[in-house]
Amino acid sequence: MIRLPGLIDPHVHVREPGQTHKEDWDTVTQSALAGGVTMILAMPNTKPPIFDASTLDLALGAAKSKARCDYAQFIGAGPDNSDIAASLADKSAGLKMYLDSTFGELRLDDMSLWMPHFANFPKDLPIVLHSESRTMAAGILFAAIYDRPVHIAHISLKEEVLLIKAAKERGIKVTCEVCPHHLFLTQPPPNPPPFSPKMGEGKGGGRLEVRPRLATKEDVEALWQNLDVIDCFATDHAPHTLAEKDSENPPPGFPGIETILPLLLTAVSEGRITINHVLEKMVTNPRRIFNLPEQPETWVDVDENASYEIHAADLHSRCGWTPFEDWKVKGRVTRVVLRGREAFKDGKILVEPGYGQNVRVR
Ligand code: NCD
Ligand code: ZN
């Protein structure tokens, strides 16, 4: 048995308000606890999106009554809300800017729309960018021009990790995260590591859709080779139902909050990373980057020798599937204590909805 601190996942799509048939504050925080995650930062691309005081209240009201682990909520950058977003910064996890196409309605195309956000949002919190490839390069240029921190969400490409490395060497305030699916899966056709056969089921291949897309083996290898450039592991837990994934118009996104730790522990058992990498990228660094409080009397007990298969039927997300179906992993979360209370033990959630606290309320 090993004891870890509670993990932080800085990139989670909760789906409440608006799309609770996919997930809500209750189910996502159960999934978090069962995965050893005790704090989540929630993304703003809900319905409606979170972009002002009343929509923030909507999300935080639901979280207050339903969350079982601790949390904070991002504000979304819109075309004309930079003053409002800055005024709500204290109550938020940070500002999220969507600069490339993905699920939701928050994309900002014109760079002149980025400027007021970079100028106004307080510099003690990062602006988190969904920005891929050359858009990411533009985002890093903005960080340099405005001399402020940016955090690049879900990097997936060799060119991205190399550019971030170079930018860090020049002292630009850029940090980044990588998701488990970009570390453990490659573009189809599956070259090792293989997809679960169930990933190919369903018409249209919608189960493979995710933004950023799964990358090549060379990209995946570059991420593993540059782990020192990667500040955080984040799931981008993006639950959509299996019916939606198998439909004519499949939305992009994978669930992941309950499988990240077993996947990483398996990599630890195989000698690909160390447990210190996991703690640095899932506790110390996210806490520093997002200015998050410590959680007293909080820990995760893990049976590092438990070998088993991942099955969606055992997971707590409402979405009902996982891209890692049938994967063999080694390392099981047996018990989670959150702020002095047993929150999860032997497969059972033991804290009630509403036990979770907003870490931005002081
Ligand atoms: C996310 C979602 O479904 O909200 N989808 C995804 O493919 N990652 C949106 C996002 O993070 O880009
Ligand atoms: Zn996301």
Side-chain angles (χ1 to χ4, degrees):
M1 204 273 287
I2 48 174
R3 181 161 288 182
L4 309 176
L7 305 178
I8 301 168
D9 186 348
H11 194 143
V12 179
H13 296 273
V14 172
R15 308 301 190 205
E16 187 170 10
Q19 293 168 316
T20 54
H21 68 286
K22 298 177 195 275
E23 195 79 289
D24 68 10
W25 278 96
D26 183 359
T27 51
V28 79
T29 52
Q30 291 192 48
S31 205
L33 287 171
V37 173
T38 55
M39 192 187 294
I40 64 169
L41 304 186
M43 285 295 153
N45 64 334
T46 47
K47 270 202 164 146
I50 309 308
F51 65 98
D52 63 8
S54 66
T55 46
L56 181 61
D57 280 349
L58 209 56
L60 292 179
K64 191 178 168 73
S65 62
K66 293 169 83 171
R68 301 186 197 231
C69 73
D70 295 346
Y71 58 87
Q73 171 69 52
F74 281 99
I75 311 263
D80 52 17
N81 71 338
S82 74
D83 289 338
I84 294 169
S87 74
L88 295 170
D90 280 0
K91 294 182 181 170
S92 77
L95 182 72
K96 176 74 185 283
M97 293 181 72
Y98 290 89
L99 308 182
D100 285 305
S101 287
T102 188
F103 184 71
E105 303 150 18
L106 279 167
R107 192 175 94 192
L108 298 177
D109 281 325
D110 190 319
M111 285 189 282
S112 63
L113 299 175
W114 310 0
M115 292 175 185
H117 288 292
F118 273 79
N120 291 342
F121 201 72
K123 291 185 176 179
D124 58 344
L125 285 176
I127 296 180
V128 177
L129 300 181
H130 180 131
S131 59
E132 303 179 29
S133 187
R134 294 176 191 196
T135 318
M136 188 202 77
I140 292 176
L141 178 62
F142 268 66
I145 292 171
Y146 288 87
D147 188 27
R148 59 150 306 127
V150 300
H151 178 80
I152 313 293
H154 41 51
I155 69 164
S156 61
L157 303 176
K158 180 177 182 177
E159 62 175 11
E160 292 171 347
V161 75
L162 294 182
L163 190 71
I164 290 171
K165 183 171 193 255
K168 285 184 172 188
E169 284 165 6
R170 302 293 184 292
I172 297 174
K173 298 184 177 82
V174 56
T175 56
C176 68
E177 69 193 27
V178 169
C179 305
H181 47 272
H182 293 123
L183 283 176
F184 293 100
L185 300 173
T186 54
Q187 263 174 12
N191 37 39
F195 287 104
S196 134
K198 296 195 175 75
M199 278 291 273
E201 287 177 7
K203 55 176 183 252
R207 294 184 201 184
L208 294 165
E209 286 294 338
V210 67
R211 297 293 174 277
R213 290 184 170 84
L214 297 176
T216 65
K217 198 161 176 274
E218 190 187 347
D219 289 309
V220 172
E221 273 165 16
L223 298 179
W224 284 97
Q225 277 158 19
N226 288 283
L227 283 176
D228 55 329
V229 180
I230 293 162
D231 300 280
C232 304
F233 293 139
T235 63
D236 190 11
H237 177 83
H240 300 283
T241 66
L242 206 45
E244 290 166 335
K245 294 297 281 180
D246 289 347
S247 71
E248 294 288 305
N249 198 8
F254 292 166
I257 200 165
E258 201 166 336
T259 45
I260 183 172
L261 185 57
L263 289 167
L264 292 173
L265 290 171
T266 306
V268 171
S269 79
E270 291 166 352
R272 303 179 78 191
I273 50 171
T274 65
I275 197 73
N276 280 343
H277 279 128
V278 177
L279 299 184
E280 174 189 293
K281 295 174 202 309
M282 293 203 72
V283 184
T284 332
N285 290 348
R287 189 181 283 155
R288 185 193 72 247
I289 291 166
F290 295 98
N291 203 359
L292 300 168
E294 288 197 25
Q295 295 174 291
E297 288 184 78
T298 297
W299 66 84
V300 177
D301 288 336
V302 163
D303 178 352
E304 78 271 39
N305 293 317
S307 294
Y308 60 102
E309 284 184 6
I310 292 174
H311 295 300
D314 300 329
L315 305 177
H316 292 74
S317 170
R318 185 167 289 149
C319 74
W321 76 288
T322 165
F324 301 104
E325 185 72 33
D326 295 341
W327 275 44
K328 291 183 176 42
V329 289
K330 191 170 174 192
R332 187 192 287 282
V333 175
T334 55
R335 182 167 177 254
V336 177
V337 172
L338 173 54
R339 286 180 282 102
R341 261 189 70 186
E342 200 163 61
F344 174 82
K345 192 175 182 203
D346 297 334
K348 291 205 169 51
I349 304 289
L350 301 173
V351 285
E352 64 284 356
Y355 181 69
Q357 289 184 356
N358 181 350
V359 300
R360 292 295 193 231
V361 173
R362 279 176 277 260

